[in-house]
């Protein structure tokens, strides 16, 4: 018996013909091409950033947003702190990125890179998005710029009394802030030097606008007073006071802007403001039981100038009558207990005393006491320079000074304020032994035994002054006191030196005093005469066990003549 298979015989169809087999091959090929094309397309368009995209030389193509941001941040990382190099009209300038707000905005740069089309062949370069504080850049560049190179003439508007005076602008060489910002933003990320030349510029406020500002504001502003109502009271701002307070400021681009300078306005109308105000009292340093103690000040009720200034500016264009409401605000003095505490005034750092004759009632002694009272309690801030003439003003009769002997043209004559030099010498020595910087002083032309040789000083308003600078990081509190025969100046602060001493050299080139006969009269003052000589003195300062300064002072004293009031005998 023969076995029969259960598998059906193969069915022959049209597709099995040679022509159809060719069709199958073509279709298969097309499908393969389409599949391949789909793969290429997927590759080209893969990621958030199109293929072929580069930023600052970095290939960001095909990366997701987060990958691109990370790659850009890491790739640029070493350049973040690199200084910006600038050629400012031929002068090299280097600026730190932080001082001008310069940085790469990674997020916005990647967002910009994500826009656009991919490229299979070649690449597309995307400029980075930079952050830059244009105002800070402009300020930094102008600080470095030689002002003589800037020939732009800026407009100005001031008052001569109540009459506006105009200075018209004129074009000239100047800085173009927009051009500078573009140059720096472009060059810095590439590590290149930004070229910032001066260019021809015109003032923002032109001549026509200046004329309009004068006609529309400057003239009507001072045409009538302004009444200010405050808490049931009122005071008047006169045209003269308004002219002092209304300021027209021009920026570096020549933009003229009107504003109220509240401080100048308040000073110009101080008596009027006083009608409604209660002034604050300053905090002060006082000596209590031989130790410095800070007494708190009290706040005052002052016109709120911050609110008044813009309101006043708004009504100055209006015709009379003009009236404004203002408010009072509690305000502390500029000198507060907190500001004084920061000065570190806690211990005695120097003291010096000089003696005088004549008793407390003599004109010379009275002058010494008057100037001592004027200086008592003075505070010299760190880095500040103290001027005795500046502190006391002119020492005249109106200030309470009397006639006493002074040196005029090499002669002793009565003069207002005589004796002030005794206090000046005392103050100079206190500053000298506190280790403060000598800025200006001049010893007497004659030697007086009541003063230390060389280390002493005269004064004469306004040509001769005593100035010293507080070079310490702490404040200096000046305490003065006197008796009927002495004056003392003590300086309080935080002690920073181990010692301050004087080392003298010998006197040399001694000369004998001549005898001079003078015409008798009120201007003639007799004297016994003193020899002249030259001497050196060194201030020696020690700190932390080491000598840190040895400064030489040298002075030549003229011989003081033996003055005789009367004709020379024949």
């Amino acid at each position: 018996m023969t076995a029969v298979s259960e598998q059906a015989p193969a069915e022959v169809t049209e597709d099995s013909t040679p022509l159809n087999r060719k069709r199958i091959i073509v279709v298969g090929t097309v499908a393969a091409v389409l599949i391949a094309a789909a793969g290429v397309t997927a590759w080209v368009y893969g990621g958030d950033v199109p293929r072929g995209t580069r930023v600052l030389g970095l290939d960001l193509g095909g990366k997701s947003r987060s990958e691109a941001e990370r790659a850009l941040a890491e790739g640029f990382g070493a350049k973040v702190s690199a200084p910006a190099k600038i050629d400012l009209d031929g002068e090299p300038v280097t600026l730190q990125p932080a001082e001008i707000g310069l940085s790469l905005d990674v997020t916005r740069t990647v967002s910009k890179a994500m826009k656009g089309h991919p490229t299979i062949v070649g690449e597309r370069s995307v400029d980075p998005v930079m952050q830059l504080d244009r105002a800070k850049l402009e300020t930094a560049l102008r600080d470095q710029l030689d002002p003589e190179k800037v020939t732009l003439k800026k407009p100005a508007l001031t008052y001569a009394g109540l009459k506006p005076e105009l200075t018209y602008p004129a074009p000239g060489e100047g800085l173009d802030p927009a051009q500078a910002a573009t140059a720096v933003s472009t060059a810095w990320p590439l590590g290149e030097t930004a070229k910032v030349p001066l260019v021809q510029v015109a003032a923002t406020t032109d001549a026509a606008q200046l004329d309009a500002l004068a006609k529309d504001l400057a003239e009507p502003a001072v045409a009538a007073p302004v009444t200010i109502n405050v808490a049931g009271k009122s005071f008047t701002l006169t045209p003269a006071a308004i002219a002092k307070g209304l300021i027209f400021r021009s920026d570096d681009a020549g933009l003229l802007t009107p504003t109220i300078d509240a401080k100048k306005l308040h000073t110009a109308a101080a008596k009027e403001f006083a009608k409604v105000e209660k002034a604050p009292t300053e905090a002060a340093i006082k000596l209590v039981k031989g130790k410095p103690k800070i007494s708190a000040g009290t706040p005052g009720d002052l016109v709120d100038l911050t609110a008044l200034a813009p309101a006043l500016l708004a009504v100055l264009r209006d015709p009379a009558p003009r009236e404004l409401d203002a408010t009072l605000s509690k305000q502390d003095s500029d000198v507060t207990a907190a500001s004084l505490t920061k000065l570190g005034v806690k211990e005695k750092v120097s003291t010096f005393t000089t003696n005088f004759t004549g008793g407390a009632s003599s004109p010379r002694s009275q002058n010494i006491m008057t100037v001592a009272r004027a200086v008592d309690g003075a505070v010299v801030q760190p880095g500040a320079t103290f001027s005795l003439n500046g502190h006391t003003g002119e020492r005249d009769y109106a200030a309470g000074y009397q006639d006493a002997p002074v040196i005029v043209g090499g002669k002793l004559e009565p003069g207002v304020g005589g004796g002030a030099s005794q206090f000046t010498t005392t103050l100079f020595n206190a500053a000298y032994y506190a280790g403060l910087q000598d800025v200006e002083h001049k010893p007497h032309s004659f030697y007086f035994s009541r003063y230390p040789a060389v280390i002493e000083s005269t004064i004469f308003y306004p040509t001769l002054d005593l100035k010293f600078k507080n070079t310490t990081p702490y404040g200096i509190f000046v305490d003065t006191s006197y008796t009927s025969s002495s004056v003392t100046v003590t300086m309080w602060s935080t002690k920073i030196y181990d010692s301050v001493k004087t080392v003298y050299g010998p006197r040399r080139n001694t000369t004998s005093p001549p005898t001079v006969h003078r015409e008798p009269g009120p201007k003639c003052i007799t004297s016994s005469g003193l020899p002249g000589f030259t001497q050196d003195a060194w201030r020696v300062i020690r700190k932390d066990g080491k000598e840190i300064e040895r400064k030489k002072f040298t002075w030549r004293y003229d011989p003081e003549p033996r003055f005789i009031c009367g004709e020379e005998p024949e």
Side-chain angles (χ1 to χ4, degrees):
M1 179 177 291
T2 303
V4 179
S5 173
E6 295 183 359
Q7 183 176 356
E11 181 178 0
V12 178
T13 65
E14 291 184 343
D15 289 338
S16 298
T17 65
L19 178 60
N20 287 329
R21 280 199 297 272
K22 290 180 181 179
R23 290 176 180 172
I24 292 172
I25 292 171
V26 171
V27 171
T29 301
V30 171
V33 170
L34 291 175
I35 292 171
V40 171
T41 302
W43 178 83
V44 169
Y45 285 93
D48 296 320
V49 181
R51 296 284 177 180
T53 301
R54 302 182 75 88
V55 176
L56 297 173
L58 299 171
D59 185 3
L60 303 184
K63 298 183 184 297
S64 67
R65 173 188 280 275
S66 60
E67 289 173 337
E69 290 180 355
R70 183 166 56 253
L72 182 58
E74 292 175 354
F76 191 74
K79 301 179 182 179
V80 169
S81 58
K85 295 176 292 183
I86 303 167
D87 179 342
L88 181 58
D89 198 49
E91 296 295 328
V93 172
T94 300
L95 299 175
Q96 294 303 318
E99 67 179 307
I100 56 175
L102 179 60
S103 65
L104 170 66
D105 192 325
V106 173
T107 301
R108 290 175 62 196
T109 298
V110 171
S111 294
K112 181 180 178 182
M114 290 167 58
K115 299 174 183 178
H117 301 288
T119 171
I120 300 175
V121 179
E123 61 185 37
R124 58 185 282 264
S125 181
V126 175
D127 292 331
V129 178
M130 305 303 299
Q131 295 278 20
L132 175 65
D133 190 318
R134 180 169 149 178
K136 288 183 178 180
L137 174 64
E138 181 180 353
T139 298
L141 291 179
R142 291 192 186 280
D143 286 343
Q144 299 286 337
L145 189 61
D146 182 354
E148 292 185 359
K149 289 186 174 183
V150 179
T151 58
L152 168 67
K153 184 179 179 182
K154 297 183 289 187
L157 202 168
T158 58
Y159 284 100
L162 298 181
K163 182 181 178 182
E165 289 197 337
L166 282 62
T167 300
Y168 288 97
E173 292 288 303
L175 183 70
D176 185 331
Q179 183 187 66
T182 299
V184 172
S185 296
T186 302
W188 178 67
L190 300 175
E192 299 175 351
T193 298
K195 299 285 186 180
V196 181
L198 294 185
V199 297
Q200 190 77 1
V201 292
T204 304
T205 298
D206 61 25
Q209 292 169 324
L210 181 61
D211 285 333
L213 200 55
K215 181 179 179 181
D216 298 339
L217 176 58
E219 291 176 6
V222 295
V226 177
T227 300
I228 309 296
N229 300 312
V230 186
K233 300 179 181 180
S234 65
F235 66 94
T236 301
L237 295 177
T238 65
I242 294 170
K244 294 288 185 182
L246 178 56
I247 305 297
F248 295 84
R249 293 194 174 101
S250 178
D251 66 10
D252 290 313
L255 175 64
L256 202 61
T257 305
T259 186
I260 297 295
D261 188 313
K263 187 174 181 180
K264 289 183 178 180
L265 179 70
H266 195 278
T267 300
K271 291 184 178 179
E272 289 295 312
F273 277 97
K275 292 178 180 180
V276 300
E277 291 182 330
K278 175 188 172 185
T281 59
E282 295 183 348
I285 301 174
K286 297 181 179 180
L287 293 179
V288 179
K289 296 181 180 180
K291 293 288 184 180
K293 184 178 180 181
I294 296 174
S295 62
T298 57
D301 294 315
L302 303 180
V303 172
D304 186 348
L305 293 172
T306 303
L308 177 63
L312 176 61
L313 185 62
V315 304
L316 291 182
R317 301 175 189 268
D318 299 340
R322 302 183 294 195
E323 196 168 345
L324 278 177
D325 291 333
T327 58
L328 296 175
S329 62
K330 291 286 183 184
Q331 296 182 37
D332 290 319
S333 165
D334 292 337
V335 181
T336 64
S339 66
L340 291 181
T341 300
K342 292 179 181 178
L343 296 180
V345 176
K346 64 181 183 180
E347 58 191 331
K348 187 185 297 184
V349 295
S350 70
T351 187
F352 200 82
T353 300
T354 60
N355 299 302
F356 52 84
T357 59
S361 61
S362 74
R364 186 176 186 280
S365 300
Q366 285 295 306
N367 289 339
I368 294 170
M369 296 173 185
T370 299
V371 68
R373 287 192 296 269
V375 176
D376 188 38
V379 174
V380 188
Q381 298 285 335
T385 296
F386 179 90
S387 161
L388 184 53
N389 279 343
H391 188 83
T392 66
E394 186 173 1
R395 292 170 293 277
D396 54 14
Y397 300 122
Y401 293 89
Q402 305 176 36
D403 283 331
V406 296
I407 300 175
V408 179
K411 306 181 188 69
L412 282 172
E413 294 182 358
V416 62
S421 60
Q422 172 115 26
F423 176 81
T424 304
T425 288
T426 312
L427 178 62
F428 172 71
N429 273 268
Y432 172 97
Y433 284 107
L436 305 182
Q437 179 183 329
D438 172 34
V439 176
E440 179 184 344
H441 88 284
K442 183 179 183 296
H444 290 79
S445 54
F446 301 148
Y447 170 68
F448 297 102
S449 59
R450 59 179 174 267
Y451 305 143
V454 183
I455 311 303
E456 49 97 0
S457 181
T458 186
I459 197 165
F460 190 83
Y461 189 92
T463 54
L464 294 178
D465 197 3
L466 169 65
K467 294 179 181 178
F468 56 84
K469 184 176 181 179
N470 179 9
T471 50
T472 77
Y474 305 100
I476 299 289
F477 172 68
V478 183
D479 172 57
T480 70
S481 60
Y482 52 81
T483 68
S484 60
S485 60
S486 69
V487 61
T488 299
V489 176
T490 302
M491 294 197 169
W492 298 78
S493 186
T494 292
K495 198 164 187 175
I496 60 174
Y497 302 121
D498 298 344
S499 64
V500 181
K501 296 181 179 180
T502 300
V503 176
Y504 278 103
R507 295 182 181 182
R508 62 185 186 276
N509 302 328
T510 303
T511 53
S512 300
T515 298
V516 177
H517 290 264
R518 298 185 61 192
E519 182 179 349
K523 285 191 174 183
C524 183
I525 298 176
T526 61
S527 66
S528 57
L530 287 170
F533 60 90
T534 299
Q535 193 168 18
D536 301 322
W538 288 265
R539 181 171 73 169
V540 181
I541 301 179
R542 298 183 66 84
K543 181 180 180 182
D544 299 328
K546 299 178 181 179
E547 182 179 309
I548 63 170
E549 178 185 280
R550 180 174 286 259
K551 182 177 180 180
K552 184 180 180 181
F553 293 80
T554 300
W555 190 248
R556 166 67 191 173
Y557 289 104
D558 295 330
E560 181 188 355
R562 177 173 171 260
F563 288 115
I564 298 175
C565 297
E567 295 182 0
E568 184 176 358
E570 297 180 359

